[in-house]
Amino acid sequence: MYTLKLPWPCLLTLLLVGAATHDGNSVWAKRTTAFQTRSTAGKSSSPECRCFPGDACWPAPSAWNALNESVSGHLVATVPIGSVCHGDTYDADACGAIQAAWTTAETHTDSSSSVLVPYFANQSCDPFLPRDAPCVVGTYVQYAVGVSGVSDIQSTLSFARENNIRLVVRNTGHDYFGKSTGAGALGVWTHHLKDFDVLDYSSPLYTGKAIRMGAGVQAGDAAAKAFAEGLTLVAGVCPTVGLAGGYTQGGGLGPLTSKYGFGADQVLEWRVVLADGSDVVATPDRHPDLYWALSGGGGGTYGVVYSMTVKAHPNELTTAANLSFSNNGSNDDTFFKAVGAFHAVVPALSDAGGTALWTVQSRGFSLGPVTAPGVTKETLDSILEPVLLRLQYLGIPYSYSSAEFPSYHESNLAYNPPGSTPGVQIGGRLVPRSVFTGNEDGFNQAVRKIVGQGAAVTGVSFTAPNEVNFDNSVNPELRNSMISFQVGTLWNHTDWELNLRNQDLITNTFIPSLADLIPGGGSAYLNQADFREPDWQQVFYGETYETLLQAKARYDPDDLFWGMTAVGSDRWAETEDKRLCRVS
């Protein structure tokens, strides 16, 4: 059975489908003329718009060369990784390899320009389009600076300010909102900031083990290095996500949330370069408003984080479990009775301190992993036993396994091995416990209706601590919820119009069917939601939004940092040709 799942920080994962590997484009290069943005000849930039390629204000090659020299040759000119499938650079073998590797995360995360959500590439040099289709930089960043330290970041910000160029903060391209790309943009590429140090940390609010990591450190490497030191870090399950970026800055929901809290709850200090080039350390008592905003208020919004220090926890026994069963299509009623049986035990899983990830499709159900730190196999099996008994009663064959491990890291490697990451479009809603338990049948019916139209529904259950050592800007509705539901549709590489229709279904049909069950329409987890959410300020940020706006005004008064659905982003909008302009 093929199973789609939308894990905490990852894009849609398609299990049981292999993919080749590809190195991506991480080679330092000077600007070439082989790949250009679509022509804007005759246009000129308004003071109310960022300067755009083809405008008279666009920096001359000599200016870009000077920037390259100032950053020690680390300026990367974007050559789309799909260029081997088009025009004079066509290479049949290389094109086949890139197509086969397209659903491998590293194909994009190790690139200075590529993104994992195909919509935001806008078919720019798409390897799945015909050979004679245009190969243009399009919505990819025009250039990126692979920063190696603070001075590189400062030089990049200064160049963007002085030349009125759109700026993008990017690390791996893992994001559902297009924040890590942008037409005509200059990227601050933090991917190579890989410092990792274990500390004995002491402050008035925390004394104990901590880890300071560069913004380019990814979850898989961080988990392995922490494990070698006898430690566990709060992270998501996807190994290629950069922890200090949008994951933690957007809240940081993950398998250890029920045990230790969100990723943002772990942060002891942020090291960040502000829009004016200032290099500051933000802690609960130094620049506390900046610390607060960065800890849950969204990535790429208030400054360029280049380092993060977080609490580290001792390794401890962790039990994991997986369960799957198919729907052969002969009796949907029977299948959804089984799904309802699982939904009935979700509160007990959360009460035990565990988190669970499950996906429902028309063709089957997949639970996995359940992560339960400090819980024995016997206890976890007993919580899930009613589901197994119900499956037996209904005559539905299933596959179930569970096991104890000495650490979370080992349980995650065994029960959640990395999968492929095909393109996906999503939307989401958070569900408080009382709302879910008071209307399980209503949610079961909503899920059934959604998957019946070809989408997948993934749930993540957790119990978040309401008391944390450091006040932060995590949306209170996230902290007060028990389930984060996501709805996803797979991206079709050859049918753009179908993708747009699916996008409309998510925005106008699927998410409203969940929102209608929640008083006030509900909220969504900032990192996993619909970028077209009509009331995104309230849905994503809740009561924190106005205070976050104040922090934005203080630390980035000229909106150098912009990303779709980021705090204050409604002051700007992309025009038809994707240039960024102020909203009048």
Side-chain angles (χ1 to χ4, degrees):
M1 179 181 72
Y2 292 115
T3 304
L4 305 179
K5 68 175 181 178
L6 292 125
W8 293 278
C10 286
L11 286 88
L12 189 69
T13 300
L14 183 58
L15 298 182
L16 306 180
V17 177
T21 59
H22 181 75
D23 193 38
N25 169 33
S26 58
V27 179
W28 306 128
K30 290 189 177 182
R31 180 63 181 160
T32 68
T33 58
F35 306 97
Q36 301 291 340
T37 301
R38 288 184 176 87
S39 174
T40 57
K43 295 184 178 180
S44 61
S45 177
S46 160
E48 295 302 305
C49 296
R50 296 301 185 201
C51 189
F52 202 69
D55 291 343
C57 61
W58 188 252
S62 59
W64 290 107
N65 289 336
L67 173 61
N68 190 42
E69 291 178 7
S70 73
V71 295
S72 304
H74 291 170
L75 181 67
V76 185
T78 293
V79 176
I81 61 177
S83 61
V84 293
C85 295
H86 299 284
D88 295 339
T89 57
Y90 179 81
D91 181 316
D93 292 339
C95 181
I98 195 70
Q99 288 174 340
W102 204 251
T103 59
T104 300
E106 288 81 358
T107 300
H108 309 278
T109 61
D110 291 341
S111 162
S112 63
S113 59
S114 197
V115 293
L116 272 79
V117 177
Y119 174 81
F120 295 107
N122 197 35
Q123 297 185 301
S124 302
C125 205
D126 191 324
F128 295 97
L129 292 180
R131 176 179 175 177
D132 60 357
C135 179
V136 295
V137 174
T139 58
Y140 294 131
V141 296
Q142 285 284 306
Y143 295 88
V145 175
V147 298
S148 61
V150 170
S151 64
D152 287 349
I153 299 172
Q154 292 170 326
S155 294
T156 306
L157 299 188
S158 176
F159 188 88
R161 286 197 312 270
E162 293 171 4
N163 292 280
N164 189 32
I165 291 176
R166 181 175 180 176
L167 186 82
V168 164
V169 182
R170 64 169 286 120
N171 180 7
T172 64
H174 273 278
D175 96 81
Y176 289 112
F177 303 98
K179 294 178 181 178
S180 55
T181 193
L186 172 61
V188 182
W189 190 28
T190 62
H191 193 57
H192 298 282
L193 301 177
K194 302 289 190 181
D195 294 346
F196 189 93
D197 299 299
V198 178
L199 311 173
D200 291 311
Y201 194 92
S202 180
S203 76
L205 295 175
Y206 176 79
T207 299
K209 289 292 183 182
I211 291 175
R212 178 177 297 148
M213 68 184 80
V217 175
Q218 293 164 274
D221 289 340
K225 290 178 179 179
F227 171 71
E229 299 287 339
L231 300 171
T232 294
L233 289 174
V234 171
V237 296
C238 187
T240 53
V241 164
L243 291 182
Y247 171 74
T248 300
Q249 291 179 52
L253 174 61
L256 297 174
T257 290
S258 295
K259 179 72 174 183
Y260 300 119
F262 298 110
D265 297 338
Q266 317 304 311
V267 181
L268 300 168
E269 62 181 51
W270 300 97
R271 298 191 174 199
V272 56
V273 178
L274 302 177
D276 64 3
S278 302
D279 177 16
V280 304
V281 177
T283 72
D285 55 6
R286 287 184 289 173
H287 303 285
D289 57 342
L290 179 61
Y291 169 88
W292 180 87
L294 289 169
S295 305
T301 305
Y302 314 97
V304 179
V305 169
Y306 64 88
S307 175
M308 173 181 76
T309 303
V310 295
K311 293 184 283 186
H313 308 278
N315 289 332
E316 69 171 317
L317 177 147
T318 302
T319 298
N322 286 336
L323 167 68
S324 63
F325 54 89
S326 297
N327 177 18
N328 60 18
S330 61
N331 192 333
D332 276 357
D333 288 340
T334 301
F335 173 71
F336 281 98
K337 286 179 181 177
V339 173
F342 170 72
H343 283 164
V345 305
V346 165
L349 287 170
S350 298
D351 289 343
T355 61
L357 167 67
W358 68 95
T359 298
V360 185
Q361 295 176 263
S362 61
R363 56 192 173 187
F365 171 93
S366 175
L367 166 66
V370 176
T371 301
V375 177
T376 64
K377 179 182 184 302
E378 180 181 11
T379 298
L380 185 58
D381 287 343
S382 68
I383 294 172
L384 291 169
E385 184 179 17
V387 186
L388 306 185
L389 292 175
R390 184 64 168 166
L391 287 165
Q392 294 167 18
Y393 174 79
L394 294 171
I396 299 177
Y398 63 87
S399 174
Y400 175 75
S401 68
S402 63
E404 285 183 9
F405 297 88
S407 69
Y408 161 71
H409 178 60
E410 292 164 291
S411 76
N412 189 49
L413 290 177
Y415 273 72
N416 195 67
S420 58
T421 54
V424 63
Q425 301 179 117
I426 72 164
R429 271 301 181 272
L430 296 168
V431 184
R433 179 177 182 138
S434 60
V435 172
F436 184 73
T437 57
N439 191 13
E440 283 184 24
D441 185 64
F443 282 97
N444 291 341
Q445 292 303 315
V447 169
R448 180 173 180 171
K449 179 180 179 181
I450 291 169
V451 303
Q453 297 183 64
V457 177
T458 287
V460 178
S461 64
F462 58 96
T463 298
N466 284 308
E467 295 184 8
V468 294
N469 288 352
F470 324 119
D471 186 28
N472 58 39
S473 56
V474 171
N475 186 347
E477 293 305 312
L478 176 61
R479 204 174 292 282
N480 295 332
S481 293
M482 184 181 72
I483 297 174
S484 177
F485 274 122
Q486 289 92 46
V487 176
T489 60
L490 272 177
W491 185 263
N492 188 305
H493 291 295
T494 59
D495 194 336
W496 182 263
E497 294 303 320
L498 173 62
N499 294 319
L500 296 184
R501 290 196 298 272
N502 284 339
Q503 195 176 84
D504 285 340
L505 279 172
I506 289 172
T507 302
N508 301 320
T509 302
F510 296 156
I511 297 306
S513 70
L514 293 173
D516 287 346
L517 301 173
I518 306 167
S523 296
Y525 172 41
L526 176 59
N527 285 337
Q528 292 182 318
D530 180 7
F531 73 94
R532 302 198 308 170
E533 178 68 51
D535 189 23
W536 58 266
Q537 295 93 332
Q538 179 61 36
V539 171
F540 295 170
Y541 300 95
E543 64 187 45
T544 67
Y545 190 75
E546 291 302 319
T547 308
L548 288 169
L549 268 179
Q550 295 173 20
K552 175 72 170 174
R554 178 176 181 182
Y555 292 102
D556 183 24
D558 297 321
D559 291 337
L560 181 65
F561 303 108
W562 185 90
M564 193 174 296
T565 74
V567 169
S569 61
D570 49 351
R571 296 190 288 259
W572 297 77
E574 290 182 331
T575 61
E576 185 176 351
D577 63 359
K578 303 301 182 182
R579 70 176 64 218
L580 189 62
C581 297
R582 288 189 184 275
V583 176
S584 58

